[in-house]
């Protein structure tokens, strides 16, 4: 009865994907070209051999015949997941009777934008442990498709957790790990692997970046100058890398024009050069760069709202950003943070009358940016004892009847413990 259950579930998103007028860049479009596919070995020259003489087989000596040894294929990474069946409620045979190529197409086309219930289901499917599909091989095309969909959604933490389960030195896997590390500010570990593993085959801009990050400035400069002369680096890459290595030489120069194609590597170097690119208009994954403490609180709030709306971060992270500081201005995101903080203070003070008083404003603030579901997940249990009539009663009922379960993924966060004045 459960045959092809993955195909059936993923097919539900096909009409939604077809209805989208504009689609964001897929992960394959914006991933850094940080690694190159290994070049095929040149074909051996043809050797003219003498005409074979047919005669009865004989043995010239008593030595053992030559034996050819071939390693077995590595196991497929397709079954790897973060959530076992007893957590997801899905069978281990979720993918087992589905064709690998079909699954890759369906995962890539799936789009649950604006539908929190489908977003939750999609995240569960992408993170589920399951038996490998039909045609699964060591290349793990379904595993890579799941990683790419997580990157498209902006769910970098679970994507990184999945990548941690496999050997990241395979070029296709390293390419993704390197970019996630760049966007989360953890590129040093990826650079160490890149510089110590020749099989990763880094591109020259990536190698120069990592040499500089590792403190080997002379080697980075020598690599840049060498490959500039050889024509291996484009003029745009040369300009960006030159500023990255010697920012003092370009202090009086105007900023570089925004590149037509922004990869995480390009984004990170622009930021290091003091010419940070805005994340608005970029794929969702880039918004994670604004969650770091190097970004102003307003930028963190906008990024957290954007990512929470699509289910890329948990309600706990969103709440932590809302509570990080005290709003010093009014309007827009400041008013939303203020409304949530006042409601949260009433909940913490165990003051039901004040909580009931503050709830309508907080709920209206969340409705204005379609964040009702994360808000309900975080506060539904705390509101179990509150009562109200009329419009207030409708809000309470909607909060308690929230159909989505609490988050099953806990995302790391590094936020101030106490509110501070916004700067």
């Amino acid at each position: 009865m459960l045959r092809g259950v993955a195909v059936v579930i993923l097919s539900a998103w096909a009409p939604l994907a077809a209805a989208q007028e504009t689609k964001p860049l897929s992960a394959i479009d914006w991933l850094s070209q940080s690694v190159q596919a290994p070049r095929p070995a040149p074909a051996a020259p043809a050797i003219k051999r003498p005409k074979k003489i047919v005669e009865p087989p004989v043995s010239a000596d008593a030595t053992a015949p030559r034996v050819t040894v071939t390693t077995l294929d590595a196991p497929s990474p397709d079954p790897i997941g973060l959530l076992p069946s007893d957590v997801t409620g899905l069978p281990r045979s979720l993918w087992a009777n589905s064709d690998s190529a079909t699954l890759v197409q369906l995962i890539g086309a799936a789009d649950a934008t604006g539908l929190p219930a489908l977003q939750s289901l999609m995240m569960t499917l992408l993170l589920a442990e399951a038996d490998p599909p039909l045609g699964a091989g060591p290349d793990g095309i379904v595993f890579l498709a799941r990683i790419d969909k997580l990157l498209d959604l902006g769910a970098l933490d679970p994507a990184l957790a999945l990548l941690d389960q496999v050997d990241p030195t395979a070029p296709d896997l390293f390419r993704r790990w390197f970019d996630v590390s760049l966007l989360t500010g953890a590129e040093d570990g990826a650079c160490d692997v890149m510089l110590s593993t020749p099989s990763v085959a880094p591109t020259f801009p990536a190698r120069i970046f990592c040499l500089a990050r590792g403190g080997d400035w002379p080697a980075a400069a020598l690599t840049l100058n060498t490959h500039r002369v050889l024509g291996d680096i484009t003029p745009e890459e040369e300009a960006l890398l030159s500023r990255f290595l010697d920012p003092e030489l370009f202090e009086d120069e105007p900023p570089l024009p925004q590149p037509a194609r922004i990869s995480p590597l390009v984004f990170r170097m622009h930021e290091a050069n003091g010419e940070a690119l805005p994340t608005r208009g970029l794929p969702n994954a880039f918004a994670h760069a604004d969650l770091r403490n190097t970004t102003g609180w307003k930028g963190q709030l906008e990024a957290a709202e954007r990512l929470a709306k699509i289910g890329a971060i948990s309600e706990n992270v969103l709440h932590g950003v809302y509570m990080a500081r005290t709003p010093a201005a009014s309007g827009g995101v400041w008013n939303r943070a203020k409304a949530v903080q006042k409601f949260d203070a009433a909940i913490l003070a165990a003051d039901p009358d004040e909580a009931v008083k503050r709830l309508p404003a907080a709920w209206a603030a969340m409705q204005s940016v379609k964040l009702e579901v994360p808000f309900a997940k975080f506060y539904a249990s705390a509101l179990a004892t509150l009562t109200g009539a009329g419009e207030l009663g409708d809000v309470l009922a909607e909060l308690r009847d929230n159909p989505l379960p609490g988050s099953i993924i806990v995302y790391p966060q590094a936020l101030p413990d106490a509110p501070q004045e916004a700067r």
Side-chain angles (χ1 to χ4, degrees):
M1 294 178 63
L2 293 171
R3 282 193 157 197
V5 62
V7 171
V8 173
I9 294 175
L10 288 170
S11 295
W13 279 290
L16 296 173
Q20 290 291 319
E21 294 182 2
T22 58
K23 290 184 64 177
L25 288 174
S26 70
I28 292 300
D29 295 325
W30 58 255
L31 280 170
S32 296
Q33 303 301 323
S34 51
V35 296
Q36 296 169 329
R39 294 181 180 178
I47 301 177
K48 189 174 182 180
R49 300 183 183 276
K51 187 175 180 181
K52 186 175 180 180
I53 300 175
V54 179
E55 58 182 29
V58 295
S59 178
D61 52 44
T63 57
R66 190 171 181 181
V67 178
T68 301
V69 179
T70 304
T71 58
L72 296 174
D73 284 342
S76 173
D78 289 343
I80 294 175
L82 302 180
L83 306 176
S85 294
D86 57 353
V87 174
T88 64
L90 298 172
R92 288 275 319 177
S93 58
L94 174 65
W95 315 110
N97 295 292
S98 302
D99 176 69
S100 294
T102 302
L103 283 174
V104 170
Q105 292 179 350
L106 290 173
I107 291 172
D111 187 356
T113 305
L115 299 172
L118 283 181
Q119 289 172 359
S120 179
L121 177 58
M122 180 186 290
M123 193 68 68
T124 301
L125 285 171
L126 296 175
L127 301 180
E129 292 180 355
D131 296 332
L134 299 174
D139 52 355
I141 60 173
V142 173
F143 180 78
L144 289 176
R146 290 158 58 201
I147 294 291
D148 288 345
K149 179 54 67 174
L150 289 169
L151 297 182
D152 288 340
L153 294 172
L156 299 190
D157 289 312
L160 187 59
L162 279 178
L163 289 169
D164 285 340
Q165 308 298 314
V166 297
D167 178 10
T169 58
D172 280 340
L173 294 173
F174 182 84
R175 181 184 178 198
R176 290 154 174 81
W177 183 47
F178 183 65
D179 279 358
V180 172
S181 300
L182 287 169
L183 292 174
T184 55
E187 62 271 11
D188 288 345
C191 280
D192 290 342
V193 172
M194 174 182 285
L195 297 176
S196 62
T197 310
S199 61
V200 169
T203 58
F204 298 119
R207 176 176 286 277
I208 294 166
F209 173 84
C210 284
L211 284 170
R213 287 290 304 175
D216 196 347
W217 187 93
L222 178 61
T223 304
L224 172 60
N225 291 329
T226 299
H227 293 288
R228 172 170 46 196
V229 173
L230 295 175
D232 296 327
I233 293 177
T234 67
E236 293 78 12
E237 291 172 337
E238 177 189 341
L240 183 57
L241 287 165
S242 296
R243 294 191 181 212
F244 178 68
L245 294 179
D246 292 298
E248 295 83 2
L249 297 179
F250 301 91
E251 286 183 350
D252 298 328
E253 297 289 328
L256 291 173
Q258 181 164 319
R261 183 183 185 276
I262 301 176
S263 69
L265 182 59
V266 169
F267 179 87
R268 188 71 180 83
M269 284 196 286
H270 270 273
E271 183 182 59
N273 293 346
E275 302 174 2
L277 300 172
T279 60
R280 183 173 298 177
L282 295 181
N284 295 322
F286 287 81
H288 280 266
D290 289 338
L291 292 179
R292 292 172 295 167
N293 290 329
T294 54
T295 303
W297 188 37
K298 186 173 186 290
Q300 292 180 27
L301 286 167
E302 292 173 343
E305 289 183 341
R306 175 183 174 184
L307 292 170
K309 190 184 305 183
I310 58 176
I313 61 173
S314 73
E315 64 276 8
N316 297 316
V317 174
L318 175 64
H319 179 264
V321 177
Y322 273 140
M323 304 302 298
R325 299 176 183 176
T326 301
S330 60
V333 69
W334 304 114
N335 286 351
R336 292 192 291 275
K338 189 179 299 183
V340 172
Q341 288 186 7
K342 288 182 177 179
F343 175 69
D344 190 80
I347 293 293
L348 291 177
D351 186 341
D353 292 336
E354 185 68 12
V356 166
K357 178 181 176 182
R358 299 295 182 184
L359 176 58
W363 183 247
M366 295 298 96
Q367 285 182 312
S368 68
V369 285
K370 299 181 180 179
L371 288 172
E372 303 98 310
V373 170
F375 183 84
K377 284 183 179 181
F378 194 87
Y379 286 112
S381 60
L383 298 175
T385 59
L386 296 184
T387 59
E391 183 179 352
L392 176 61
D394 294 338
V395 172
L396 289 170
E398 190 170 355
L399 280 165
R400 293 168 186 158
D401 293 340
N402 166 43
L404 298 179
S407 291
I408 50 182
I409 305 295
V410 178
Y411 298 92
Q413 54 179 312
L415 298 168
D417 294 329
Q420 304 173 11
E421 287 296 328
R423 289 195 287 265

